[in-house]
Amino acid sequence: MANLSLKHIYKVYPNGTKAVNDFNMEIEDKEFIVFVGPSGCGKSTTLRMIAGLEDISAGELMIGENVVNDMEPKDRDIAMVFQNYALYPHMTVFENIAFGLRLRKMPKDEINRRVTEAAEILGITEYLGKKPKEMSGGQRQRVSLGRAIVREPKVMLLDEPLSNLDAKLRTQMRSEIAKLHAKLKTTFIYVTHDQIEAMTMGTRIVVMKNGFVQQIDTPKNLYNYPGNKFVAGFIGTPQMNFFEGTLLKKGDKVEINFAYSDAKITVPYSMMYKAKPAYLDGKTTVYIGLRAEAVSVNPATVKASKSVIKVRVSHTEELGNQTLLYGDINMDGDGYTESSTRIIIDADGSLEYKPGDIIDAALDIEKVHLFDRETELSILPRLPEYNYLDCAVKDGTLSFLGTQIKLPAAINCPDGKYDLLIPTDAITLKGGDAEINIVSCENVNGKNLISFELGTRTMFAVVPAPVKCGKGKISIDLKKISLLSDGAAVVSEMPSVVRFEGSLMKEKVKEEVTGGSKTKMKKVIKFFLNIGGYKMLCPDAVADKLITAMGVKKAFTDKLIYECGVYDLQFAEEGVEAEAVRIADYGKEKFTVCKAGEDEFFVYGQHDGGNVKLLPDVEKLSIIQADKNIRMI
């Protein structure tokens, strides 16, 4: 059995088309992972790269402890089940299942044992002597699965294996494959465009669109906490309702106004703590998302609700015990056209409605989703990036929520009132900037998110390990905070990444070579990194990755971008030339602000000024192919 690691995986075709962009994922042993998305999203291409049927343009793929980028498919210890069964029509079921084992010259007794066991697991023992043409589609797919099972692979790859089956068989085979995964206890990676298959089978789901990963999460979390508008609309049947609207903060309430209609509701401001203040100005248009089941026309629910809107009924769809009611929150809308005012409601099947009826509908405000109109990202993410607070600065002291912190010399801010942005990873549970009450701690995609009370507010922090609820203290990394006035930054977060332009070089150099008892000088090829005009020796492993990914010619002609952290540069006798401009004093830490060309950047440590030379840590460099924006390392 094995886990898989996909780091910065790209697939770029010769014409420049990016089929897969910067795919990153850690797959644990025995997981059932589903890749889902519309046609052309890159899901099958990713699966084929894992299988070795497509070359990886850039990135690193590991199965277990082995990097397998250049390993032949037959050596990867994987088995693949294809959409079209790929059975040999002239062979019996037994012969089809055993074919791969015979190619490997496995002993006859072992072949018989494995085929018999696989047939029993799949319930096709009675068909072992038949040929594929005598079997149904579902039975043929079982044979295809059997051929993969007998390999006893570390990883099972399944590429839309049910798409050729009818609806009843698909439902049956979903259960069969889930049962098979439980029996085999191996890693499954399954590709489908059917979100019902994804939701019912996967332990985790990867949602893809246009070659990009949109979200990776459990089925339940994808449904309840979609990270963007695409995921929200793709997952769930019927599709989520989307409206345009604005948010206006009024004291401890926020008014949600639905565009092109008279509909409006009010929610507590506590629901909006994760949203940037700019979204709450009553002018910024956002997308408002509500699932059909989050809207009710049940009279008792409507009577008890404080969030009621008017809906003009257009038509209904009867689905037996369920009725989908279609309507419009714009009294002049037709309810048929997909628009920003049409609404679909999961209604009580016992109620009857006529086209043209104007009815009341209650909204479940706990299930409202909000998305940025431009980026379509959730403005209320489950794992927030920032805490947004009102604050004031006076005489170099920052005040917020009853807490006062003396600002370091590096933060020179005029007195006044500001919006304060504190990143969730800038808060640590130690020190004494403020006393807090920890309310909850949950694991969100491998990160520990705590919510805590400070003064009258709930805030969030990402911490390295789970913690217990109760009293505690926090420190805030002031390098990471931002102060805004009318949306413009007065104080910005200190940049944490340094970027240099450069290239890969190769040269013939003389080197001592020992042969027997003699030592002589010989010319050998060495690789060098040109980083901001400084040439430093390139490790062979790094050069090999660049040449393999980019091609021999392009590796030495294409422009590269080198990235490293502010802690990964040191002042040295030789290195990238720069000018030390000033010292940024953050109290416990001091940084030198350096300038190379027109670019300013921070380097950990102090330097008196003037010309300096900076040596990057090669082991911590990220390397990006500039023109295609592909992260090579």
Side-chain angles (χ1 to χ4, degrees), residues 68-361:
V68 301
N69 288 44
D70 302 319
M71 190 179 289
E72 291 293 323
K74 64 183 178 63
D75 299 323
R76 296 190 181 196
D77 205 359
I78 54 97
M80 191 160 179
V81 179
F82 295 93
Q83 177 180 345
N84 61 357
Y85 318 139
L87 303 179
Y88 296 107
H90 63 286
M91 293 183 181
T92 65
V93 169
F94 185 98
E95 291 167 340
N96 266 285
I97 295 175
F99 184 73
L101 304 182
R102 285 176 174 161
L103 284 180
R104 289 168 174 77
K105 302 188 185 304
M106 192 169 284
K108 186 178 289 187
D109 290 348
E110 181 65 12
I111 291 175
N112 290 336
R113 183 188 69 78
R114 291 195 184 192
V115 173
T116 302
E117 283 185 3
E120 288 176 358
I121 290 171
L122 295 167
I124 55 173
T125 303
E126 61 189 282
Y127 299 100
L128 287 176
K130 294 186 177 183
K131 292 185 177 178
K133 66 181 180 181
E134 303 173 66
M135 306 175 74
S136 68
Q139 291 163 343
R140 292 180 197 177
Q141 193 57 271
R142 284 191 179 93
V143 177
S144 182
L145 284 166
R147 189 169 51 191
I149 289 170
V150 294
R151 290 275 312 279
E152 296 182 358
K154 289 180 179 177
V155 183
M156 284 273 285
L157 307 178
L158 301 97
D159 190 5
E160 301 203 44
L162 309 184
S163 59
N164 291 335
L165 307 181
D166 61 44
K168 184 177 180 180
L169 266 178
R170 287 175 77 105
T171 303
Q172 180 184 346
M173 286 302 296
R174 283 205 306 265
S175 299
E176 294 290 342
I177 291 174
K179 184 169 71 174
L180 183 63
H181 174 253
K183 277 189 177 182
L184 296 181
K185 292 182 171 58
T186 191
T187 306
F188 274 43
I189 304 177
Y190 187 101
V191 163
T192 182
H193 62 271
D194 186 331
Q195 56 113 342
I196 294 177
E197 279 183 23
M199 295 290 284
T200 55
M201 298 172 72
T203 52
R204 281 195 298 161
I205 299 173
V206 182
V207 183
M208 298 184 70
K209 177 189 177 186
N210 297 334
F212 290 91
V213 173
Q214 302 295 305
Q215 190 170 345
I216 302 174
D217 218 323
T218 63
K220 186 175 181 179
N221 286 340
L222 283 177
Y223 190 82
N224 292 326
Y225 308 106
N228 60 41
K229 183 173 178 279
F230 173 78
V231 174
F234 191 81
I235 299 296
T237 303
Q239 179 178 295
M240 182 181 284
N241 297 296
F242 293 110
F243 312 94
E244 292 181 31
T246 57
L247 313 173
L248 179 62
K249 183 177 182 294
K250 292 183 174 180
D252 61 353
K253 303 286 185 182
V254 174
E255 186 176 88
I256 302 178
N257 292 280
F258 293 76
Y260 318 115
S261 75
D262 295 327
K264 67 172 64 174
I265 61 171
T266 300
V267 301
Y269 175 50
S270 58
M271 282 182 59
M272 301 290 171
Y273 283 161
K274 295 178 180 179
K276 293 180 183 177
Y279 289 117
L280 309 180
D281 61 1
K283 301 174 184 177
T284 304
T285 301
V286 299
Y287 287 116
I288 305 162
L290 280 162
R291 297 200 183 277
E293 64 269 27
V295 188
S296 176
V297 291
N298 181 286
T301 305
V302 170
K303 185 176 180 180
S305 175
K306 295 181 180 179
S307 301
V308 177
I309 62 173
K310 296 287 185 183
V311 175
R312 185 176 185 272
V313 176
S314 62
H315 63 290
T316 60
E317 289 182 352
E318 299 292 344
L319 304 174
N321 65 337
Q322 181 189 39
T323 298
L324 293 182
L325 185 152
Y326 288 74
D328 213 294
I329 62 173
N330 181 337
M331 297 303 105
D332 296 323
D334 64 10
Y336 289 92
T337 306
E338 190 171 327
S339 68
S340 60
T341 57
R342 188 187 75 166
I343 189 169
I344 305 172
I345 302 170
D346 187 351
D348 188 332
S350 63
L351 299 175
E352 293 186 4
Y353 307 93
K354 300 189 298 294
D357 285 352
I358 295 176
I359 61 174
D360 288 331

Side-chain angles (χ1 to χ4, degrees), residues 441-501:
C441 179
E442 61 176 324
N443 186 288
V444 181
N445 292 331
K447 295 185 176 181
N448 298 294
L449 177 70
I450 64 165
S451 60
F452 61 89
E453 294 170 343
L454 177 60
T456 58
R457 276 288 304 268
T458 298
M459 295 176 61
F460 306 91
V462 175
V463 295
V467 296
K468 295 180 179 179
C469 296
K471 300 294 182 182
K473 292 185 177 181
I474 59 168
S475 287
I476 298 172
D477 187 345
L478 297 175
K479 301 192 305 295
K480 297 183 177 182
I481 69 168
S482 300
L483 295 166
L484 282 66
S485 178
D486 296 326
V490 178
V491 172
S492 297
E493 179 179 349
M494 190 195 89
S496 60
V497 175
V498 182
R499 291 166 63 97
F500 299 107
E501 291 185 358

Side-chain angles (χ1 to χ4, degrees), residues 336-545:
Y336 289 92
T337 306
E338 190 171 327
S339 68
S340 60
T341 57
R342 188 187 75 166
I343 189 169
I344 305 172
I345 302 170
D346 187 351
D348 188 332
S350 63
L351 299 175
E352 293 186 4
Y353 307 93
K354 300 189 298 294
D357 285 352
I358 295 176
I359 61 174
D360 288 331
L363 309 185
D364 185 344
I365 61 171
E366 295 295 329
K367 295 181 179 177
V368 172
H369 300 273
L370 300 170
F371 305 96
D372 183 280
R373 193 183 187 188
E374 301 302 322
T375 66
E376 297 192 351
L377 295 175
S378 172
I379 69 174
L380 301 173
R382 189 173 176 219
L383 189 68
E385 188 176 357
Y386 292 97
N387 295 282
Y388 304 97
L389 309 167
D390 295 328
C391 74
V393 174
K394 186 175 182 182
D395 298 330
T397 298
L398 174 68
S399 301
F400 61 95
L401 299 176
T403 299
Q404 294 189 328
I405 301 175
K406 184 69 177 176
L407 293 175
I411 300 179
N412 183 17
C413 182
D415 290 354
K417 293 184 177 181
Y418 300 97
D419 293 323
L420 172 62
L421 277 64
I422 306 176
T424 50
D425 65 357
I427 300 171
T428 54
L429 297 176
K430 60 181 180 180
D433 286 340
E435 292 188 357
I436 62 167
N437 180 43
I438 300 171
V439 177
S440 68
C441 179
E442 61 176 324
N443 186 288
V444 181
N445 292 331
K447 295 185 176 181
N448 298 294
L449 177 70
I450 64 165
S451 60
F452 61 89
E453 294 170 343
L454 177 60
T456 58
R457 276 288 304 268
T458 298
M459 295 176 61
F460 306 91
V462 175
V463 295
V467 296
K468 295 180 179 179
C469 296
K471 300 294 182 182
K473 292 185 177 181
I474 59 168
S475 287
I476 298 172
D477 187 345
L478 297 175
K479 301 192 305 295
K480 297 183 177 182
I481 69 168
S482 300
L483 295 166
L484 282 66
S485 178
D486 296 326
V490 178
V491 172
S492 297
E493 179 179 349
M494 190 195 89
S496 60
V497 175
V498 182
R499 291 166 63 97
F500 299 107
E501 291 185 358
S503 59
L504 178 67
M505 303 167 62
K506 63 178 178 178
E507 292 181 5
K508 283 186 177 181
V509 299
K510 287 185 177 182
E511 189 177 80
E512 284 189 356
V513 178
T514 302
S517 59
K518 293 182 179 180
T519 299
K520 61 180 181 178
M521 300 300 293
K522 186 178 179 181
K523 285 189 175 181
V524 295
I525 296 291
K526 288 289 184 182
F527 301 104
F528 297 89
L529 301 176
N530 170 18
I531 304 176
Y534 174 67
K535 186 175 71 175
M536 64 187 302
L537 190 64
C538 175
D540 288 342
V542 172
D544 287 344
K545 281 186 180 181

